[in-house]
Amino acid sequence: MPMSNNKDKPNKATTPYIGRFAPSPSGRLHFGSLISAVASFCDARAHLGKWLVRIEDLDPPREEAGASDAIIQSLEAHGFTWDDKIVYQSQRLDAYQDAFDQLSDSIYPCNCIRQRISSLGGRYDGHCRDQTPPNGSTIAWRVNTCQHPNLRADSETFTDIFLGQQQLNLDVAGDFIIKRKDTLFSYQLAVVVDDLFQGITHIIRGQDLLDSSYWQRYLYLLLSSNTAVSGTQLPVYGHTPLALGSDLHKLSKQTKAAPINNDLAVSNITAALRFLGHPPPKTLLMTLAKGHKKSLQQCTEILAWASDNWDRALIPKKSSVAPALADA
């Protein structure tokens, strides 16, 4: 397992920093995912923090055979190192069940179908809060976001590292599912349980997950108040711009975004840093190229430069079309 080997730098952190990159193996690493990896890695290294990798393989029907290994291989080829063993969500089902059991007083069964929720504009209206689904009906389990008003003020607003003040009323967000009708635990539950387990202090990820932050912060408070980690501080969040395709939809595995080519790792890393407002100096790139260093070593040195020169204020706030990687 690759481990970090950072040189000594002045201490920029006033509190311990533990960040993470948590891809799902529904496909191989694409440019949008690479941006999240670069941003989370550089932010952690710039603050002398740990950077962890977690494979969120919790949804077998959506997973692509061999994708987990391919993602790890791509990270290695692009010069990333991590500071502990990789956590696989598929191996932590007992932990999710324990958390589910702890939340028994804050959840309720729901048998509403997708068509009904779609007719409401996608926001769940709490229809099943005070009802008991008929025997034999297929149910999901939702968190009652109105049950603990003492937690709400802290979970409605937060300051995003890159986007500034964020606010959303949980009544608007609606009660959310933590266990699906197919009995699989939801992303919302698993990610919070794992962030608590790994002691994650900083979550750097794409803006497509911004809305999930409200549910996750609320769930984080519920779980931390019920466990030995009571009093744990909520993670700090930072949401980076999304890489868009020519159709202005975000690059994703669902939209069949092309996987990155490991043979073009230097170009890929350079393009990702440019996208994030941190273009490596031409002199650095020319020196590395003239030095005939292997691709992996060049990527490592480029990431080291980016970590040393990381400036959160330079991260763009708006998403934009991804560059053509062959021209990067």
Side-chain angles (χ1 to χ4, degrees):
M1 174 186 68
M3 303 292 285
S4 65
N5 187 27
N6 272 10
K7 61 183 181 180
D8 292 335
K9 297 188 294 185
N11 188 358
K12 299 180 182 180
T14 56
T15 58
Y17 183 123
I18 303 177
R20 46 77 160 174
F21 175 59
S24 63
S26 54
R28 296 169 184 253
L29 204 68
H30 57 77
F31 185 68
S33 299
L34 180 65
I35 289 171
S36 293
V38 168
S40 59
F41 179 86
C42 290
D43 200 75
R45 294 291 183 250
H47 294 86
L48 302 182
K50 292 182 178 180
W51 189 72
L52 310 180
V53 173
R54 179 166 73 224
I55 301 296
E56 299 192 334
D57 55 343
L58 197 61
D59 195 348
R62 294 181 60 245
E63 292 169 18
E64 177 184 300
S68 293
D69 290 341
I71 289 171
I72 295 168
Q73 290 168 6
S74 289
L75 291 175
E76 293 173 343
H78 285 75
F80 293 98
T81 57
W82 44 93
D83 298 297
D84 206 338
K85 65 180 181 180
I86 296 174
V87 169
Y88 291 83
Q89 288 190 333
S90 59
Q91 299 174 7
R92 289 185 40 76
L93 300 183
D94 288 345
Y96 308 143
Q97 183 62 53
D98 287 344
F100 180 84
D101 293 340
Q102 291 173 30
L103 294 170
S104 59
D105 293 335
S106 303
I107 61 178
Y108 61 89
C110 171
N111 68 338
C112 291
I113 60 176
R114 288 183 178 179
Q115 289 88 333
R116 180 183 180 278
I117 298 173
S118 295
S119 70
L120 300 172
R123 174 196 169 276
Y124 186 68
D125 59 356
H127 175 75
C128 293
R129 281 179 189 160
D130 301 314
Q131 301 187 34
T132 302
N135 289 335
S137 62
T138 304
I139 61 171
W141 289 89
R142 292 182 181 272
V143 172
N144 186 342
T145 58
C146 293
Q147 187 170 352
H148 298 280
N150 59 312
L151 298 181
R152 296 174 62 77
D154 199 12
S155 62
E156 286 179 8
T157 63
F158 68 93
T159 301
D160 187 278
I161 289 174
F162 308 119
L163 301 176
Q165 183 80 2
Q166 302 296 310
Q167 182 170 4
L168 180 70
N169 190 317
L170 282 172
D171 286 337
V172 175
D175 296 347
F176 57 97
I177 291 174
I178 62 168
K179 194 171 187 180
R180 302 176 354 186
K181 288 184 176 181
D182 59 7
T183 74
L184 294 176
F185 292 107
S186 76
Y187 162 75
Q188 307 295 356
L189 177 67
V191 71
V192 174
V193 171
D194 289 338
D195 285 340
L196 278 165
F197 169 69
Q198 294 184 287
I200 300 300
T201 63
H202 291 69
I203 296 174
I204 310 297
R205 58 188 182 184
Q207 291 176 9
D208 54 323
L209 292 171
L210 178 60
D211 287 348
S212 290
S213 301
Y214 301 98
W215 291 329
Q216 290 169 15
R217 286 167 59 85
Y218 185 76
L219 191 55
Y220 197 100
L221 289 168
L222 283 177
L223 286 173
S224 63
S225 66
N226 290 336
T227 67
V229 294
S230 178
T232 299
Q233 293 294 313
L234 282 159
V236 177
Y237 290 82
H239 291 85
T240 57
L242 303 178
L244 309 178
S246 57
D247 59 359
L248 299 185
H249 290 107
K250 73 162 185 169
L251 297 181
S252 69
K253 295 159 188 172
Q254 287 72 33
T255 58
K256 309 298 182 183
I260 55 176
N261 184 344
N262 293 343
D263 293 334
L264 301 176
V266 174
S267 294
N268 297 338
I269 287 290
T270 301
L273 285 168
R274 287 175 179 163
F275 187 88
L276 290 166
H278 288 74
K282 291 183 179 180
T283 52
L284 171 64
L285 298 177
M286 291 176 60
T287 298
L288 293 175
K290 289 180 179 179
H292 302 292
K293 295 182 178 181
K294 293 183 178 179
S295 173
L296 176 58
Q297 187 173 358
Q298 291 187 53
C299 287
T300 299
E301 295 194 24
I302 292 171
L303 286 173
W305 170 87
S307 299
D308 285 337
N309 292 275
W310 189 249
D311 185 348
R312 291 172 170 175
L314 296 178
I315 303 298
K317 290 180 170 56
K318 294 184 178 180
S319 302
S320 60
V321 175
L325 294 186
D327 299 329

